[in-house]
Amino acid sequence: MPVDLRDLVAPGHTALVTQECQNGVIGEPAALPQLAEIARRRMIPNAARLAAAARQAGVPVVHCVAARRPDGRGSNHNARLFMGMLKTPVPLTPGTPAVEVLPEIGVAESDVVLTRLHGLGPMGGTDLDAVLRNLGVTTIVGVGVSVNVGMLDFAFDAVNAGYQMVMPRDAVAGIPEAYAEAVLDNTLSLVATLPATSEILDAWLSSPGS
């Protein structure tokens, strides 16, 4: 039977998790300018709308940002993606604006910010799973980048850990855009619920206490 979206993302058991919605990845300047350009069209505005609505509805907001020390200690060196990031003009150095959450989304006093030095996504080997379980979360609404790698890895890890994964398809981005859409349609649709941002907003803003 199809699951009612209002029940699936009900505030009592849901968290909004942003993945690499940070200045140095898709802000200005960005380590990945092509991805940033695509993200600015609709992903960033929709993620910001979701964050504001989540706070209003009492849904926890958790921001997952990526960082890399100048000496690379503790970070991966075992894939082309990681080595390519070494050549970007925007290093993701801990403690710099590059690892801060985008101002459009912001960080409220009630939000949680988690920083990782390793991995392809926000959940593998990080504190995210423990933090979500301590918050009583069983459904994750995941937004951010990129559909190609980070969000894909996030969805698989979340499902393997027993969470319901919801990914608003207009609050994620990847490059090339056509490939990202294909991943959503042919892979992520098999493991996650892919509503529009407006559908989640309707569910949260109509919930009791919002």
Side-chain angles (χ1 to χ4, degrees):
M1 293 179 61
V3 177
D4 184 270
L5 185 64
R6 294 184 195 281
D7 293 334
L8 183 61
V9 300
H13 61 250
T14 300
L16 175 71
V17 179
T18 73
Q19 148 68 5
E20 292 185 20
C21 293
Q22 61 193 85
N23 293 323
V25 176
I26 52 174
E28 296 182 8
L32 303 171
Q34 289 180 303
L35 180 60
E37 181 181 352
I38 293 170
R40 290 187 195 111
R41 295 177 196 163
R42 64 175 186 172
M43 189 236 97
I44 293 172
N46 284 333
R49 293 167 64 205
L50 286 163
R55 296 171 188 129
Q56 182 178 342
V59 173
V61 179
V62 180
H63 305 284
C64 297
V65 297
R68 188 183 185 97
R69 288 168 43 132
D71 61 8
R73 289 177 66 85
S75 294
N76 294 75
H77 299 82
N78 58 334
R80 288 176 59 193
L81 175 64
F82 302 124
M83 302 312 293
M85 290 300 291
L86 295 176
K87 302 175 184 178
T88 66
V90 185
L92 304 181
T93 307
T96 68
V99 298
E100 294 176 358
V101 176
L102 294 168
E104 295 92 332
I105 297 172
V107 179
E109 186 176 352
S110 59
D111 295 359
V112 176
V113 180
L114 302 176
T115 303
R116 76 176 195 276
L117 292 174
H118 65 92
L120 296 170
M123 184 166 278
T126 73
D127 288 337
L128 180 58
D129 182 36
V131 167
L132 294 176
R133 294 190 189 281
N134 288 341
L135 290 169
V137 170
T138 58
T139 295
I140 297 169
V141 176
V143 302
V145 294
S146 72
V147 172
N148 313 44
V149 180
M151 296 305 295
L152 191 64
D153 185 72
F154 186 9
F156 288 161
D157 282 347
V159 170
N160 284 336
Y163 293 94
Q164 291 280 351
M165 188 69 182
V166 176
M167 193 178 296
R169 61 183 303 144
D170 54 358
V172 296
I175 50 174
E177 288 184 272
Y179 176 72
E181 291 296 321
V183 172
L184 285 163
D185 290 337
N186 298 296
T187 301
L188 286 168
S189 64
L190 302 177
V191 298
T193 302
L194 307 176
T197 290
S198 60
E199 295 177 87
I200 298 176
L201 293 176
D202 288 344
W204 284 346
L205 296 180
S206 64
S207 65
S210 63

